[in-house]
Amino acid sequence: MQYNDPTYGLQYFEEILIGVILIIGISAFLFFFFTFYKRLKRLKEERIKTAYQKIIDHQLFVYLFEDKPREVIIENPEFSNNLSSNLFKRLSIKSIISLHQNYSGTYRKKLENFYADSGLSDYSLKRLNASYWVHIVEGIRDLSGMNYQQAYPRIVSYKNHKNEMVRTEVLLGMIKLKGVAEITKFTTSELFLNDWVQSNILYLIKNEHIPPPGNFEELLNSKNGSVVVLAVRLINHYQIAELYQTLSGFYQKTTNKKLKREIALTLKKTEQIS
């Protein structure tokens, strides 16, 4: 029989070996092909990004420093013809936000108006409809960072989102748009404001020079323990002297070690506590 022929086994082995070599060869070819294709695609995208960025930088410079009406910039074909590209929109928003963080007064307001009137705010609003939480966070951050007040109801609607990062960004966005008093809307919330979140809130308040709220008592009586700790840190930041006596009473009553430590740090310089 054919199976007893010693040459048959050798032939069968050779066929298997050739098949393996072909598979390896095809796999290697496909790997190098797709690697080369991805590299070409990335280089093309970089060239497009560079071209877009040049247009954006020029148009924003003209708008800010040559006092051109924003309608002229928005309707300029160099700008308007590229607004169909999501990449162009993302780069524009990134550039506007960067400038917004580095300027104040009239320049800042001009950038906010440009963001709203150019339709870039609509792109950020659409990000809120995304299924991926990172895009929702990005949308909230852009809208609140650019002081787009019309987005406030949409942002608040995500207050109880299942993702903690989204809920945290909602709180930061609410503070940016409406002030520190917005924290009271979380006094009965189960959202835990850990030290990282609280440091972000305090940094935001310091960086944006947000004035103190008028409802510290409500924060101190919160059922959310992390909000109470934040309230103490805010009193320390704003140096609300009229509340030092209240904090002293809190210190005597509370058994929460972390809260005691925060109150002690706040009252240390006031001689309200020994």
Side-chain angles (χ1 to χ4, degrees):
M1 289 180 63
Q2 182 180 358
Y3 295 109
N4 295 325
D5 186 349
T7 61
Y8 176 77
L10 182 61
Q11 183 181 354
Y12 180 73
F13 175 75
E14 289 175 347
E15 289 175 354
I16 294 294
L17 183 62
I18 292 171
V20 170
I21 292 171
L22 282 172
I23 291 172
I24 293 173
I26 292 170
S27 298
F29 171 78
L30 289 174
F31 173 78
F32 285 114
F33 173 79
F34 283 116
T35 301
F36 183 68
Y37 172 77
K38 284 176 69 176
R39 179 172 174 78
L40 285 178
K41 187 178 179 182
R42 187 165 59 249
L43 289 172
K44 181 182 178 182
E45 189 172 278
E46 286 300 321
R47 285 197 298 269
I48 293 172
K49 284 176 69 174
T50 301
Y52 279 167
Q53 194 64 58
K54 187 175 179 180
I55 293 170
I56 293 163
D57 291 344
H58 174 69
Q59 294 300 326
L60 289 177
F61 180 87
V62 171
Y63 171 61
L64 287 176
F65 304 112
E66 294 185 11
D67 208 26
K68 286 284 181 72
R70 60 181 173 277
E71 293 81 10
V72 173
I73 303 299
I74 294 169
E75 293 171 7
N76 186 320
E78 190 176 35
F79 186 85
S80 61
N81 287 350
N82 288 305
L83 277 175
S84 58
S85 165
N86 286 337
L87 175 60
F88 186 82
K89 291 175 186 175
R90 289 198 300 271
L91 290 173
S92 295
I93 292 171
K94 185 177 178 181
S95 295
I96 290 170
I97 288 175
S98 178
L99 290 168
H100 190 264
Q101 291 172 342
N102 287 287
Y103 288 96
S104 59
T106 304
Y107 289 126
R108 212 170 197 200
K109 190 62 182 175
K110 287 182 72 173
L111 288 165
E112 290 171 9
N113 291 335
F114 187 87
Y115 174 73
D117 293 347
S118 64
L120 292 171
S121 56
D122 293 333
Y123 176 79
S124 298
L125 283 168
K126 288 178 182 177
R127 303 293 271 179
L128 301 184
N129 298 326
S131 55
Y132 193 28
W133 68 265
V134 172
H135 295 158
I136 299 174
V137 167
E138 180 186 333
I140 294 171
R141 192 170 292 165
D142 292 349
L143 291 161
S144 59
M146 290 307 298
N147 193 33
Y148 192 69
Q149 293 290 333
Q150 296 93 315
Y152 177 80
R154 287 285 309 281
I155 290 173
V156 174
S157 70
Y158 287 86
K159 187 164 71 80
N160 297 314
H161 193 275
K162 62 182 179 180
N163 185 279
E164 185 179 354
M165 291 298 293
V166 173
R167 295 197 303 269
T168 300
E169 199 61 43
V170 167
L171 174 56
L172 294 173
M174 290 167 67
I175 294 171
K176 287 179 190 176
L177 292 172
K178 298 294 183 181
V180 185
E182 291 293 292
I183 298 171
T184 58
K185 294 178 179 175
F186 291 82
T187 53
T188 59
S189 169
E190 294 182 0
L191 175 65
F192 177 71
L193 306 179
N194 58 36
D195 289 338
W196 181 82
V197 174
Q198 294 199 23
S199 66
N200 273 275
I201 292 171
L202 290 167
Y203 175 79
L204 170 65
I205 290 168
K206 292 174 186 176
N207 196 50
E208 298 292 330
H209 307 290
I210 300 174
N215 54 354
F216 272 110
E217 288 80 1
E218 189 175 346
L219 293 175
L220 288 170
N221 291 317
S222 171
K223 294 179 181 179
N224 185 327
S226 64
V227 170
V228 180
V229 171
L230 176 59
V232 175
R233 288 172 171 170
L234 289 171
I235 291 170
N236 185 29
H237 167 69
Y238 289 116
Q239 298 182 349
I240 312 294
E242 58 267 29
L243 288 174
Y244 291 162
Q245 191 62 43
T246 302
L247 288 184
S248 183
F250 261 85
Y251 182 86
Q252 302 300 329
K253 291 187 292 184
T254 186
T255 57
N256 186 310
K257 292 181 179 180
K258 185 171 186 176
L259 184 57
K260 269 186 173 293
R261 184 170 63 250
E262 290 299 328
I263 294 174
L265 288 171
T266 302
L267 299 180
K268 189 175 181 181
K269 296 179 289 185
T270 70
E271 298 182 358
Q272 295 283 340
I273 190 170
S274 57

